Amino acid sequence: MPELPEVETTLRGIEPYLLNQRVARVIVRDPRLRWPVPADVVNAEGQQFVSVQRRGKYLLLKLRQGGLLIHLGMSGSLRILQEPAAPQKHDHIDVELQNGVCLRFNDPRRFGAFLWVDGEMQLHELLRDLGPEPLSYEFTADYLYQRSRGRNLAIKNFIMNGHIVVGVGNIYASEALFMAGIHPQRAAGRVSRQRYDGLVAAIRDVLARAIRRGGTTLRDFVNSDGAPGYFAQELLVYDRAGSDCFQCGTTIKQKVIGQRSSYYCPACQR
Ligand SMILES: [Zn+2]
């Protein structure tokens, strides 16, 4: 599933091809995504892209008036075609530019979203209640500490809640909790201010490293025939159940927390 680093990498991959370019045509071959693709996406036609931004795992392709709001869902991807190419299976939407370049949206499982937004995009109902960006200055140990007081929710579910902080998916939550030495099932309200310092640093570190690694796959967004190859992570605990902890040698455990598989070292994480 595309996570925040993949979405950020997508943004960096497509941005140079869209900025200041004018849309010629929006072609919707199949509108059946998570929500039906609205007919008013054609409002983009004739308009120029003024910015490409990310908010959580949403991409905001802003035009002079309104813009396109895109989510990659479970299996979506965007790529840039510099030459015309026949659409393949699951290539549901094309945004053709007047210079001949095409932005193509592919989504085999169709949990993605492709919406039109009038007016200020940040105020859209899907975006306005989102928590801070994990790589922003607003995301601090103080903030997490304050928001978590009195809460019995497992710390892993707490940091994966988009109203608390956006973009900390299952893999990154598992990895960051290991790096911070915090057991994923510990109540969020019982994590000390000091340990939140370590957790914030770990979340920033694991996401920033993944984004840096993603930079090497940028070429996959251009003229690629398939979906961009998302980058393999060097993982410390995620998907390593039964293997030895790199830090202490104890066997890594797996447990379902909040319906998601969680991986942790029972010795290093308390
Ligand atoms: Zn360990």
Side-chain angles (χ1 to χ4, degrees):
M1 184 182 343
E3 296 279 359
L4 185 146
E6 286 87 355
V7 179
E8 179 67 25
T9 301
T10 298
L11 183 158
R12 294 177 188 186
I14 65 174
E15 184 183 34
Y17 296 92
L18 300 185
L19 269 191
N20 303 318
Q21 297 300 326
R22 210 173 276 278
V23 176
R25 226 160 38 125
V26 181
I27 300 165
V28 180
R29 290 185 200 87
D30 190 341
R32 294 171 300 166
L33 297 181
R34 178 167 181 185
W35 300 287
V37 178
D40 54 7
V41 292
V42 297
N43 288 344
E45 294 178 356
Q47 292 209 65
Q48 221 173 355
F49 285 108
V50 292
S51 73
V52 180
Q53 296 173 20
R54 180 186 58 73
R55 182 73 179 98
K57 296 206 293 181
Y58 290 93
L59 286 165
L60 287 60
L61 277 49
K62 295 193 181 187
L63 294 147
R64 291 251 174 249
Q65 291 188 318
L68 298 167
L69 180 61
I70 301 173
H71 195 285
L72 301 177
M74 306 282 288
S75 60
S77 62
L78 286 165
R79 64 185 192 277
I80 295 287
L81 303 169
Q82 291 181 296
E83 303 288 336
Q88 306 296 311
K89 202 174 178 188
H90 312 302
D91 283 342
H92 304 311
I93 303 169
D94 280 355
V95 179
E96 291 180 353
L97 306 180
Q98 288 183 356
N99 65 2
V101 167
C102 174
L103 174 72
R104 183 164 281 179
F105 179 81
N106 177 287
D107 189 0
R109 297 183 63 184
R110 297 206 303 236
F111 283 105
F114 197 102
L115 300 170
W116 174 257
V117 181
D118 277 318
E120 184 46 56
M121 298 190 80
Q122 300 280 358
L123 300 178
H124 190 274
E125 59 181 333
L126 291 168
L127 305 180
R128 66 184 171 214
D129 296 326
L130 293 178
E133 289 288 328
L135 298 172
S136 74
Y137 292 114
E138 297 153 66
F139 181 60
T140 63
D142 270 333
Y143 165 79
L144 279 187
Y145 181 74
Q146 299 302 339
R147 291 295 301 264
S148 63
R149 288 312 88 184
R151 298 193 66 167
N152 271 328
L153 178 74
I155 182 69
K156 180 155 178 275
N157 296 340
F158 179 69
I159 59 172
M160 286 180 67
N161 179 340
H163 298 297
I164 300 298
V165 55
V166 296
V168 183
N170 198 32
I171 296 174
Y172 301 108
S174 291
E175 294 292 295
L177 286 167
F178 173 77
M179 289 160 68
I182 301 171
H183 194 289
Q185 273 181 310
R186 173 171 282 274
R190 310 261 332 234
V191 175
S192 70
R193 169 67 180 69
Q194 195 183 356
R195 298 183 87 199
Y196 272 121
D197 271 329
L199 182 56
V200 165
I203 289 171
R204 288 175 181 277
D205 181 64
V206 71
L207 289 172
R209 266 190 294 132
I211 290 169
R212 272 202 303 278
R213 191 167 298 261
T216 62
T217 68
L218 281 181
R219 62 190 159 73
D220 293 342
F221 288 88
V222 182
N223 295 336
S224 153
D225 293 326
Y230 292 125
F231 26 105
Q233 298 282 319
E234 289 161 2
L235 298 169
L236 300 172
V237 284
Y238 187 83
D239 211 14
R240 293 195 65 244
S243 304
D244 295 345
C245 171
F246 291 127
Q247 222 159 257
C248 74
T250 302
T251 305
I252 299 294
K253 283 198 165 173
Q254 177 183 8
K255 196 172 233 171
V256 175
I257 302 172
Q259 295 164 328
R260 306 297 299 274
S261 268
S262 301
Y263 301 85
Y264 64 98
C265 171
C268 292
Q269 294 175 253
R270 297 285 172 183

